[in-house]
């Protein structure tokens, strides 16, 4: 039951919306279901036309990819001054990992394992975007992905259900705050519902087909966590799910989302997703529009199938007036919750935009967030941290391209004024260290591939001279230095939407450059830019130090300098497994056992589940990440070995900083249900703590386990905890753990 004040607010909203709808024509109701784009930020292949006249005619409910207070004010004035009923417009944008102040890509933010930090980045994004007049963001993307070939793994939180769920909650809280009608909040939009990250072959927009058991236990929980955190809207996925595309899937949109989970917000399609149902094979535009509406979709993004066909479908009895009323009501309720009927211009403030956007506090937080996202993958011989002295050679095609530093899905970033790695490092280090630089190689050998990989203003100039000539020049520059920093990997648009890759290694032309740099005999640090797990088997074998910096946002260069030179101790942990070879994909830690499992530490054994040519092991496991210091774990202890149904089991371990640097460690807790009515994963993350320890300091970490932590969906999709024996694991990553056993009574 709702509290009295909440119930009263709901009643007030219901009365207001009902009265407004009583005055609306059917055309005006359908108009509220139409979301168009102003084309300011490129997120798809279509730009809406004749927007101004449609606003005046009440045929537009929302606009996205329009920013600046002046433009948004002008559009809103058209709606509230020139349309018949003066219904305000909702303004959205893909504010994915920052607005103007860009934070690390979501996969990088997930590597921080810092929920308070992640929530704060969403809060800052909301403050900046709302100052420009926006009130809706198409974020968070909570799709679980275990296939590194899929480009949009960069936009989510990785492979794990539990970590992804906690991040989903933090993002929603950050965007929406405590009061959705506050002028500095954004309505969140959970996407892509559902299962988009499991597209077959890692190819974007492709079919997804999985059992309900896997769906409910592994892929749906982050969406539900975001809904439970209060997300105001949900976006449909592009993919087919068990034969029915998500945008027309009534079981998904109505039975699960509304009836099972109690979602009361509105559902918007992804970009032209209704129209794309035609190519899926579900009918013509009128038919697929009717299917989507009846499935439980309220707003049609860009395609205008709702606008142009629903009245005809109503006249022909293919949809009902109640279907249209339901959708219209939910869109109007969202606008009411945002306070737009009370003040259509509450989010538009020229002065606030000047004070808030890219201010010093936000840039400082971006620098901090970037440093916390970086993952130290290797540090042989303590090459890092570097000393602030002498000369450093910065070599590689990602050395001097500011436009690539924000990463993919940074549509509102000021790319022209984002510092490059070189510029940021020079700014951070001043005259303490001399930096010489050279691009070293092209991003990719194939010019056409490079053009595809540097779209949307992320161009990296090509050097068409013979490769050996370019490398010789780079080696001459490296010869001046004491240490070589190789800035290699992906460009920002080599991951992201429609950026699937079958080869997830560092491009061969860059690998050849790296090999030549290693031949100099100088210490080499690989600063790795990537939006996905890469296959780094050769690099791990040959390069002494590897720092994965993902794409760190506006302050990438400064943050890289902070970590390389020891002002910040890296603490990131991988949110996705790095395979040895692309042929292992999909590879993830929480897999099921087979009836013929390979023993830990083994490679090939005939008639066991393994490969002839590569071991089953990942290159770097989930949760992995090194530090400049060392952490020692004491013995794992349990408060009891028998957990009662209404009881609590405490799992404790002492963690000590045994090195020379202050540092942060993420202590991770996993469980395994050793015998169940259905097969269960070999490990499942169920808790984590991020500690900050000074040298010599130790701290006891205690996790509380209850029956709730042991629950799962059984074969009948009942959410249960079954009695029996469980293993509990605690350690520094999913592989390196201690184990104890207990029984649920």
């Amino acid at each position: 039951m709702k509290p009295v004040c909440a119930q009263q607010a709901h009643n007030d909203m219901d009365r207001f919306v009902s009265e407004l709808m009583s005055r609306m024509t059917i055309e005006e109701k359908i108009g509220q279901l139409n979301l168009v784009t102003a084309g300011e930020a490129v997120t798809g292949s279509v730009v809406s036309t004749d927007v101004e006249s449609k606003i005046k005619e009440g045929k537009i409910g929302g606009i996205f990819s329009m920013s600046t207070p002046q433009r948004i004010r002008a559009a809103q004035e058209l709606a509230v001054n020139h349309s018949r009923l003066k219904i305000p417009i909702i303004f959205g944008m893909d504010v994915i990992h920052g607005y103007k102040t860009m934070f690390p890509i979501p996969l990088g933010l997930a590597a921080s394992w810092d929920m308070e930090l992640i929530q704060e980045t969403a809060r800052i994004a909301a403050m900046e975007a709302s100052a420009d007049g926006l009130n809706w963001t198409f974020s968070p993307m909570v799709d679980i992905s275990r296939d590194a070939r899929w480009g949009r793994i960069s936009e989510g939180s990785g492979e794990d259900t539990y970590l992804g769920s906690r991040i989903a909650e933090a993002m929603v809280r950050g965007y929406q705050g405590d009061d959705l009608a506050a002028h500095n909040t954004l309505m969140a939009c959970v996407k892509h519902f559902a299962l988009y990250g499991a597209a077959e072959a890692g190819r974007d927009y492709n079919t997804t087909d999985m059992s309900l058991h896997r769906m409910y236990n592994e892929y749906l929980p982050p969406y539900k966590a975001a809904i439970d955190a209060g997300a105001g809207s949900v976006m449909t996925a592009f993919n087919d799910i068990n034969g029915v595309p998500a945008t027309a899937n009534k079981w998904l949109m109505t039975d699960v989302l509304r009836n099972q989970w109690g979602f009361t917000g509105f559902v918007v399609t992804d970009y032209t997703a209704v129209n794309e149902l035609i190519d899926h094979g579900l009918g013509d535009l009128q038919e697929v529009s009717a299917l989507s509406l009846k499935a439980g979709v309220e707003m049609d993004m860009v395609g205008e199938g709702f606008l142009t066909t629903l009245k005809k479908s109503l006249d022909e009895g293919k949809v009902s007036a109640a279907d249209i009323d339901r959708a219209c009501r939910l869109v109007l309720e969202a606008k009411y919750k945002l306070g737009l009927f009370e003040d259509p211009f509450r989010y538009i403030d020229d002065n606030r935009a000047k004070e808030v956007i890219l201010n010093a506090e936000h840039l400082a937080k971006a620098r901090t967030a970037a440093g916390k996202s970086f993952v130290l993958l290797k540090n042989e011989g303590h090459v890092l941290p570097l000393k602030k002295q002498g000369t450093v050679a910065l070599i590689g095609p990602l050395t001097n391209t500011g436009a690539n530093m924000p990463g993919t899905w940074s549509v509102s970033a000021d790319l022209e004024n984002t510092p490059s790695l070189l510029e940021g490092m020079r700014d951070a280090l001043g005259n303490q260290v001399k930096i010489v630089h050279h691009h070293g190689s092209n991003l990719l050998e194939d010019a056409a591939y490079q053009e595809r990989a540097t779209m949307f203003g992320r161009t990296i100039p090509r050097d068409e001279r013979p490769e050996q000539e370019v490398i010789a020049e780079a080696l001459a520059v490296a010869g001046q230095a004491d240490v070589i920093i190789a800035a290699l990997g992906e460009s920002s648009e080599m991951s992201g939407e429609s950026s699937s890759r079958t080869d997830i290694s560092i491009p061969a032309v860059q690998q050849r450059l790296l090999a030549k740099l290693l031949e100099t005999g100088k210490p080499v640090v690989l600063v790795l830019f990537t939006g996905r797990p890469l296959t780094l088997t050769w690099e791990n074998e040959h390069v002494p130090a590897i720092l994965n910096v993902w794409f760190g946002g506006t302050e990438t260069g400064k943050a890289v300098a902070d970590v390389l030179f020891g002002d910040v101790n890296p603490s990131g942990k991988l949110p996705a497994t790095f395979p040895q070879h692309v042929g292992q994909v999909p590879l993830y830690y929480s897999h099921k056992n087979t009836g013929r499992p390979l023993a830990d530490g083994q490679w090939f054994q005939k008639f066991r589940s393994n490969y002839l040519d590569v071991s089953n092991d990942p290159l770097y496991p989930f949760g992995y990440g090194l530090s400049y210091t060392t952490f020692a774990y004491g013995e794992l202890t349990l408060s009891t070995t028998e957990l009662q149904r209404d009881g609590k089991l405490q799992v404790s371990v002492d963690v000590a900083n045994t090195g020379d640097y202050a540092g942060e460690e993420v202590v991770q807790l996993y469980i395994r249900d050793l015998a169940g009515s259905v097969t269960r994963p070999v490990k499942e993350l169920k808790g984590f703590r991020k500690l900050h320890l000074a040298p010599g300091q130790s701290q006891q970490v205690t996790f509380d386990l209850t029956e709730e932590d042991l629950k799962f969906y059984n074969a009948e999709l009942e959410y249960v905890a079954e009695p029996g024996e469980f293993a509990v694991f605690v350690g520094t990553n999913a592989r390196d753990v201690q184990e104890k056993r207990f029984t649920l009574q």
Side-chain angles (χ1 to χ4, degrees), residues 551-709:
F551 291 93
T554 305
E555 296 290 76
T556 296
K558 292 177 185 177
V560 169
D562 292 341
V563 173
L564 290 181
F565 289 88
D567 292 327
V568 171
N569 190 348
S571 60
K573 299 279 190 174
L574 294 178
T577 302
F578 275 47
Q580 298 178 66
H581 191 280
V582 70
Q584 293 176 288
V585 170
L587 184 67
Y588 51 98
Y589 84 90
S590 59
H591 61 85
K592 301 287 189 72
N593 226 359
T594 73
R596 295 184 175 187
L598 188 70
D600 288 342
Q602 299 296 308
W603 182 350
F604 179 74
Q605 186 178 342
K606 196 66 175 174
F607 307 118
R608 290 285 166 180
S609 181
N610 49 206
Y611 300 102
L612 286 168
D613 54 344
V614 175
S615 73
N616 290 351
D617 301 319
L619 183 63
Y620 305 121
F622 175 83
Y624 175 85
L626 303 176
S627 170
Y628 294 154
T629 194
T630 52
F631 297 99
Y633 283 65
E635 184 180 354
L636 180 64
T637 62
L638 306 183
S639 59
T640 179
T641 57
E642 293 188 356
L643 175 60
Q644 303 300 317
R645 285 281 180 176
D646 57 351
K648 179 173 66 177
L649 183 155
Q650 292 191 316
V651 182
S652 301
V653 67
D654 292 326
V655 181
N657 183 341
T658 55
D660 299 326
Y661 298 88
E664 292 182 308
E665 169 69 342
V666 180
V667 183
Q668 301 161 39
L669 177 141
Y670 302 84
I671 66 163
R672 181 178 183 183
D673 189 343
L674 292 167
S677 60
V678 293
T679 57
R680 306 290 295 123
V682 297
K683 283 192 185 82
E684 294 178 276
L685 183 69
K686 289 294 180 180
F688 54 89
R689 300 281 189 281
K690 191 161 190 176
L691 311 178
H692 184 278
L693 297 175
Q697 185 182 5
S698 64
Q699 184 175 329
Q700 185 178 73
V701 179
T702 298
F703 298 95
D704 292 335
L705 279 180
T706 67
E707 177 187 0
E708 195 66 24
D709 298 304

Side-chain angles (χ1 to χ4, degrees), residues 95-162:
V95 181
I96 307 299
H97 51 106
Y99 179 59
K100 295 294 185 182
T101 302
M102 300 307 304
F103 298 98
I105 59 171
L107 192 63
L109 278 174
S112 73
W113 293 57
D114 189 328
M115 300 306 107
E116 185 177 335
L117 173 72
I118 291 170
Q119 181 170 332
E120 194 170 358
T121 65
R123 180 88 289 278
I124 289 171
M127 291 169 65
E128 291 197 356
S130 62
D132 255 358
L134 298 166
N135 38 49
W136 186 24
T137 175
F138 305 129
S139 176
M141 192 195 99
V142 302
D143 304 317
I144 295 297
S145 182
R146 293 163 174 182
D147 192 332
R149 296 171 298 179
W150 189 57
R152 292 191 88 166
I153 193 172
S154 61
E155 197 187 338
S157 299
E159 73 183 49
D160 186 65
T161 306
Y162 181 86

Side-chain angles (χ1 to χ4, degrees), residues 410-423:
S410 49
V411 297
S412 54
D414 183 356
L415 300 181
E416 290 186 6
N417 295 305
T418 300
S420 67
L421 177 62
L422 173 66
E423 292 163 341

Side-chain angles (χ1 to χ4, degrees), residues 374-639:
F374 300 164
V375 182
L376 184 61
L377 298 175
K378 187 180 178 184
N379 193 22
E380 188 177 82
H382 303 289
V383 171
L384 296 175
L386 302 175
K387 293 182 171 60
K388 291 183 182 178
Q389 62 186 38
T391 301
V392 168
L394 194 54
I395 309 290
L398 292 157
T399 294
N400 202 19
T401 169
N404 280 273
M405 295 302 98
T408 189
W409 278 107
S410 49
V411 297
S412 54
D414 183 356
L415 300 181
E416 290 186 6
N417 295 305
T418 300
S420 67
L421 177 62
L422 173 66
E423 292 163 341
M425 288 185 66
R426 280 182 171 166
D427 192 20
L429 295 168
N431 58 10
Q432 295 173 285
V433 177
K434 181 181 179 182
I435 301 178
V436 295
H437 72 99
H438 194 277
H439 62 274
S441 75
N442 288 318
L443 176 74
L444 291 149
E445 199 164 6
D446 183 334
Y449 185 4
Q450 181 162 326
E451 186 175 353
R452 294 194 297 274
T454 54
M455 299 174 71
F456 308 131
R458 315 304 173 108
T459 304
I460 297 175
R462 287 184 63 80
D463 191 331
E464 300 297 352
R465 293 178 294 166
E467 181 180 327
Q468 293 309 312
E469 186 177 333
V470 178
I471 289 179
E473 251 182 29
L475 292 175
V477 171
Q480 306 170 35
D482 306 298
V483 177
I484 299 169
I485 298 171
L488 307 176
E490 295 189 316
S491 61
S492 67
E493 300 311 304
M494 286 175 75
S495 58
E497 185 171 352
S498 191
S499 292
S500 299
R501 295 178 62 195
T502 60
D503 180 354
I504 55 171
S505 62
I506 291 177
V509 66
Q510 296 185 48
Q511 288 181 328
R512 293 193 292 269
L513 168 65
L514 181 58
K516 289 296 183 183
L517 295 174
L518 289 166
E519 287 176 8
T520 65
K522 296 177 184 289
V524 175
V525 178
L526 171 56
V527 171
L528 178 70
F529 288 90
T530 182
R532 54 159 52 85
L534 295 179
T535 50
L536 302 169
T537 306
W538 186 91
E539 290 80 1
N540 184 64
E541 186 177 344
H542 292 93
V543 183
I546 304 174
L547 181 68
N548 179 13
V549 300
W550 311 105
F551 291 93
T554 305
E555 296 290 76
T556 296
K558 292 177 185 177
V560 169
D562 292 341
V563 173
L564 290 181
F565 289 88
D567 292 327
V568 171
N569 190 348
S571 60
K573 299 279 190 174
L574 294 178
T577 302
F578 275 47
Q580 298 178 66
H581 191 280
V582 70
Q584 293 176 288
V585 170
L587 184 67
Y588 51 98
Y589 84 90
S590 59
H591 61 85
K592 301 287 189 72
N593 226 359
T594 73
R596 295 184 175 187
L598 188 70
D600 288 342
Q602 299 296 308
W603 182 350
F604 179 74
Q605 186 178 342
K606 196 66 175 174
F607 307 118
R608 290 285 166 180
S609 181
N610 49 206
Y611 300 102
L612 286 168
D613 54 344
V614 175
S615 73
N616 290 351
D617 301 319
L619 183 63
Y620 305 121
F622 175 83
Y624 175 85
L626 303 176
S627 170
Y628 294 154
T629 194
T630 52
F631 297 99
Y633 283 65
E635 184 180 354
L636 180 64
T637 62
L638 306 183
S639 59

Side-chain angles (χ1 to χ4, degrees), residues 131-405:
D132 255 358
L134 298 166
N135 38 49
W136 186 24
T137 175
F138 305 129
S139 176
M141 192 195 99
V142 302
D143 304 317
I144 295 297
S145 182
R146 293 163 174 182
D147 192 332
R149 296 171 298 179
W150 189 57
R152 292 191 88 166
I153 193 172
S154 61
E155 197 187 338
S157 299
E159 73 183 49
D160 186 65
T161 306
Y162 181 86
L163 179 62
S165 296
R166 302 293 77 76
I167 291 172
E169 296 165 346
M171 294 289 284
V172 170
R173 287 194 300 264
Y175 288 134
Q176 297 194 166
D178 297 325
D179 179 8
L180 202 53
H183 73 294
N184 61 356
T185 59
L186 297 175
M187 178 174 283
C189 186
V190 184
K191 65 184 189 185
H192 305 83
F193 194 60
L195 320 181
Y196 186 37
E200 287 184 357
R203 180 160 53 82
D204 215 349
Y205 319 124
N206 206 7
T207 297
T208 297
D209 197 354
M210 69 171 65
S211 67
L212 291 173
H213 177 259
R214 167 163 278 187
M215 200 183 294
Y216 273 78
N217 281 302
E218 301 173 34
Y219 282 82
L220 291 183
Y223 305 106
K224 186 174 187 301
I227 298 304
D228 290 345
S233 62
V234 167
M235 183 183 289
T236 67
F238 284 119
N239 50 288
D240 173 318
I241 300 170
N242 295 338
V244 182
T247 304
N249 197 313
K250 186 173 184 179
W251 171 80
L252 191 67
M253 297 301 159
T254 298
D255 296 352
V256 174
L257 183 62
R258 297 203 182 277
N259 297 342
Q260 292 181 25
W261 295 357
F263 177 62
T264 58
F266 74 96
V267 174
V268 62
T269 75
D270 207 332
Y271 212 108
T272 64
V274 171
N275 308 61
E276 291 166 26
L277 295 173
I278 300 169
D279 280 332
H280 275 287
L282 295 191
D284 62 17
L285 185 60
Q286 182 183 353
E287 189 168 358
V288 298
S289 298
L291 280 172
S292 299
L293 180 73
K294 294 181 78 65
V297 169
E298 280 77 52
M299 191 173 260
D300 174 12
M301 184 187 286
V302 177
E304 299 201 331
F306 281 13
L307 186 72
T308 59
T309 72
L310 286 185
K311 176 63 166 61
K312 186 170 187 285
S313 290
L314 177 64
D315 293 341
E316 295 174 356
K318 294 176 179 176
V319 302
S320 68
D323 293 327
I324 294 171
D325 282 354
R326 179 213 79 231
C328 179
R329 173 175 290 277
L330 289 171
V331 172
L332 294 175
E333 285 182 357
K335 294 179 179 184
Y336 184 96
K337 292 171 186 174
L338 286 164
L340 291 173
F341 287 107
E342 183 180 67
D343 178 6
F345 305 102
R346 73 190 312 144
Y347 294 89
I348 305 167
D349 187 336
D350 295 356
N351 293 326
R352 189 163 70 92
K354 293 170 186 174
E355 293 170 1
V356 168
I357 292 174
L358 288 167
N359 69 24
E361 182 183 349
H362 294 177
L363 290 171
K365 183 58 66 174
R367 185 172 178 173
T368 297
K372 287 181 177 290
S373 75
F374 300 164
V375 182
L376 184 61
L377 298 175
K378 187 180 178 184
N379 193 22
E380 188 177 82
H382 303 289
V383 171
L384 296 175
L386 302 175
K387 293 182 171 60
K388 291 183 182 178
Q389 62 186 38
T391 301
V392 168
L394 194 54
I395 309 290
L398 292 157
T399 294
N400 202 19
T401 169
N404 280 273
M405 295 302 98

